[in-house]
Amino acid sequence: MGGMVLPVTLKVTPCNSNTGWVPSPGARGVSKKRKSWMMNIVFVTGARAQEFQLLQPQDSVSVSAGETFTLTCSVTGLAPPGPVKWCKGLCSGRQLVYADTGSFPRVTRAVSGSDTDFTIRISDTRPEDAGTYHCVKFKKGSPDEEFRSGAGTAVSVRAKPSAPSVSGPPSRAEPGPQVTFTCTSGGFSPRDIAVTWLKNGTKLPDPQTQVLPAHENVSYSVSSTVGVRLTAGDARSQLTCQIEHSTLPDPLRATYNLSDALRVPPRLRVSTAPAAPVALNESVTFTCRVEGFYPNKSSLTWLENGTETNLGKSSPLAENPDGTYTLQSSLAENPDGTYTLQSSLEVKATEQRNQSVFTCRVVHDSQPPVSASETLKISQPPSEASPTAETTEEKKIYIAVAVVCAVLVVLVIAVIYLIRARQRKGKSSPSVRLHEPEKSPSTAPQDSDPNNLTYADLNFDNRKKRRSPPRLVEMSPQSEYACIQPAATENNLTYADLDMVHLSKSPKRPAPRPEEAVSEYASVQIQRK
């Protein structure tokens, strides 16, 4: 029976069966027995009319997040004064949802101002709104005392997961090692959810997915990780995290560009045109190719013999004041998304730059520099000696002078030795005395010739035991020769008569041939008067 039942008091007066008269309740003559009976009737009828009931018919309500749901509550009968409130949770420590006093922005009453209908509506439902709601009648007091509570309505909120988010490694990684990527989402209910990873549309195996918390809760979050091995061609690849849930009509997706996690180191190559060796004063172009690197954050510098050139790095074309250098640089993107940088350096092959080393140095993505070098070689050295050739020539001169000096020293020593040897030999040789006879008037005219000798005394050292070898005596216009034939049995010759012939006045005769080992020779020097 709906509505509120009001108490009704009935006055019952018994009839006189004989007279049909019914006395009023206050008339005299009514027995006590009759009054008691009338009071009992009024008491029983009033107790039934004042019975209080609180009706909360909904057992459960399911709602999607963001929608509005309704909680029904009504009361009947008499009740002590006091408010009716909505609470979430158990009686003790429950969360107040609605009351006649206070501010509840998302909660409104279905019938405003009603004393019997306390139905409410909650808008913009959130996952945290899930729970059990009770309609409670309080008895006014200090504080209010709970008088009657409804059975409760269980509210479940179907919440969609938030948009997934994909994160990569904290820094760029080079091709080869496995790199971990993470996909996260939260705020969904119920707990069941599916996560799928795709690379360029192809499903990746073995993702690791975890839903938290593990126990029953009003909402949940998910975290999924997958390992990917990067390649040099991943500069244009995409990684996709796909989430499926019962509250979603279509899966949610989040993409990650692998170029944000990829770093491909450059490959360097330096070449020359024309190829080495080159002619003197010829223009030579050094070309540096920096290939297959990513990202395109790189700087290129040329060095000559370890010293950086004064060319600007940002200018594609530059020239020094003396016109020695010309630099050209170009950056191009490859089909796989990597980059190639080419830089050319034009140098004049001067004498001073022969054997100079030109180095191309590249710094890529704040990494340690890498470099490649090429040597400038000149095929025909200059006719005039270079500083290096002059030094070599001077060394040769010094060596030649030293050799000459050494030879001279040896010669001087040899001459001194020979002189001393001859002196020693002269002292040990036999003495020769030549006696010229005294002149007399009776001497024949031919005997008076001063160039003629009558005799000569020759003294030989008798200590000489060994036979000396034959010797040839040098002839001169002032020399006379005598052949001395000593006796075979004698070693000393006291004197000898020599018939001397002046060679300057007579035809020259050949020097006497050496005799046998017994011959001795003497050279006589005659001075012309």
Side-chain angles (χ1 to χ4, degrees):
M1 178 178 179
M4 184 176 183
V5 180
L6 296 177
V8 178
T9 303
L10 299 177
K11 295 180 180 181
V12 180
T13 302
C15 298
N16 191 329
S17 58
N18 297 323
T19 63
W21 172 74
V22 179
S24 64
R28 294 178 181 180
V30 179
S31 64
K32 294 180 180 182
K33 184 178 179 180
R34 291 177 178 174
K35 290 181 180 180
S36 177
W37 174 67
M38 180 185 66
M39 290 175 65
N40 288 338
I41 293 176
V42 173
F43 176 78
V44 173
T45 304
R48 291 179 179 175
Q50 291 179 358
E51 184 179 358
F52 177 81
Q53 292 183 357
L54 190 149
L55 304 176
Q56 188 177 352
Q58 297 168 299
D59 293 330
S60 63
V61 173
S62 179
V63 60
S64 297
E67 297 179 349
T68 300
F69 66 95
T70 302
L71 298 176
T72 303
C73 177
S74 61
V75 297
T76 60
L78 292 176
V84 175
K85 301 178 181 180
W86 280 94
C87 299
K88 180 181 177 182
L90 300 177
C91 297
S92 58
R94 62 184 60 178
Q95 175 186 350
L96 183 62
V97 176
Y98 178 79
D100 291 337
T101 58
S103 177
F104 305 93
R106 295 190 299 123
V107 182
T108 58
R109 287 189 61 177
V111 181
S112 179
S114 175
D115 294 332
T116 58
D117 191 347
F118 293 92
T119 301
I120 61 173
R121 295 188 178 95
I122 300 178
S123 61
D124 189 20
T125 305
R126 303 168 184 174
E128 56 267 25
D129 292 335
T132 302
Y133 291 79
H134 296 269
C135 181
V136 183
K137 166 65 177 176
F138 285 87
K139 181 179 180 181
K140 189 174 182 179
S142 297
D144 292 345
E145 181 183 352
E146 182 179 329
F147 180 71
R148 191 71 55 84
S149 175
T153 302
V155 176
S156 61
V157 179
R158 299 186 306 274
K160 298 179 181 179
S162 60
S165 175
V166 180
S167 59
S171 60
R172 292 182 180 272
E174 296 184 2
Q178 193 174 68
V179 181
T180 300
F181 297 86
T182 303
C183 177
T184 58
S185 179
F188 57 89
S189 183
R191 192 175 187 274
D192 296 335
I193 195 169
V195 180
T196 305
W197 287 92
L198 305 110
K199 179 183 178 182
N200 297 330
T202 303
K203 186 177 179 180
L204 295 177
D206 303 328
Q208 303 296 320
T209 303
Q210 185 179 18
V211 180
L212 298 174
H215 56 81
E216 192 71 20
N217 198 31
V218 295
S219 65
Y220 303 88
S221 62
V222 63
S223 176
S224 180
T225 59
V226 68
V228 179
R229 294 187 183 275
L230 301 179
T231 64
D234 283 336
R236 292 183 175 175
S237 297
Q238 280 190 337
L239 197 64
T240 303
C241 173
Q242 178 176 287
I243 292 180
E244 297 174 285
H245 191 256
S246 61
T247 60
L248 299 173
D250 298 309
L252 296 178
R253 295 181 178 88
T255 59
Y256 185 94
N257 295 322
L258 293 181
S259 59
D260 295 337
L262 178 66
R263 179 176 59 244
V264 183
R267 303 185 303 272
L268 269 67
R269 180 166 54 90
V270 177
S271 60
T272 60
V278 298
L280 180 64
N281 295 327
E282 184 178 1
S283 294
V284 181
T285 301
F286 289 85
T287 301
C288 178
R289 284 184 61 85
V290 187
E291 301 175 334
F293 62 92
Y294 189 90
N296 61 351
K297 299 176 182 178
S298 61
S299 61
L300 186 148
T301 307
W302 282 99
L303 297 92
E304 181 180 359
N305 296 327
T307 302
E308 184 176 343
T309 62
N310 57 353
L311 294 174
K313 300 185 183 70
S314 59
S315 176
L317 179 63
E319 185 175 357
N320 286 342
D322 59 358
T324 304
Y325 295 98
T326 300
L327 178 66
Q328 294 179 345
S329 300
S330 60
L331 180 67
E333 186 176 6
N334 300 326
D336 60 356
T338 59
Y339 292 88
T340 296
L341 175 65
Q342 179 170 310
S343 177
S344 299
L345 181 67
E346 186 176 347
V347 181
K348 188 175 182 181
T350 60
E351 300 175 9
Q352 294 78 10
R353 286 196 172 89
N354 188 25
Q355 298 299 324
S356 293
V357 179
F358 289 85
T359 302
C360 173
R361 184 177 65 187
V362 175
V363 177
H364 175 244
D365 195 30
S366 302
Q367 298 300 301
V370 292
S371 60
S373 301
E374 189 69 26
T375 302
L376 177 60
K377 299 178 181 178
I378 299 178
S379 58
Q380 297 179 357
S383 57
E384 297 181 1
S386 61
T388 304
E390 291 179 359
T391 304
T392 305
E393 194 66 25
E394 290 178 359
K395 291 181 179 180
K396 291 181 179 179
I397 294 174
Y398 293 152
I399 294 173
V401 171
V403 171
V404 171
C405 292
V407 171
L408 290 176
V409 170
V410 172
L411 290 176
V412 170
I413 294 173
V415 170
I416 294 173
Y417 174 78
L418 291 176
I419 292 174
R420 291 184 177 180
R422 287 184 179 182
Q423 290 177 353
R424 289 194 300 269
K425 186 174 182 180
K427 291 180 179 180
S428 61
S429 62
S431 61
V432 177
R433 291 183 302 167
L434 298 177
H435 300 279
E436 185 176 359
E438 294 182 358
K439 297 180 181 179
S440 63
S442 60
T443 308
Q446 63 274 12
D447 297 333
S448 62
D449 189 352
N451 296 324
N452 293 331
L453 294 177
T454 304
Y455 65 93
D457 291 338
L458 300 178
N459 296 326
F460 296 91
D461 189 2
N462 55 3
R463 292 176 300 177
K464 185 174 182 181
K465 303 300 181 178
R466 205 173 44 175
R467 295 178 181 179
S468 61
R471 293 183 299 171
L472 292 178
V473 181
E474 183 180 1
M475 294 177 63
S476 68
Q478 304 298 329
S479 300
E480 298 291 339
Y481 295 89
C483 181
I484 302 172
Q485 182 75 29
T489 59
E490 295 180 0
N491 292 332
N492 291 335
L493 181 63
T494 304
Y495 70 93
D497 290 337
L498 301 177
D499 186 7
M500 310 301 295
V501 179
H502 198 271
L503 298 179
S504 61
K505 295 181 179 181
S506 60
K508 292 183 178 181
R509 291 177 298 177
R513 296 178 61 84
E515 297 295 335
E516 295 296 333
V518 296
S519 300
E520 295 289 340
Y521 294 90
S523 175
V524 181
Q525 184 76 23
I526 304 298
Q527 294 184 356
R528 186 183 300 274
K529 292 182 180 181

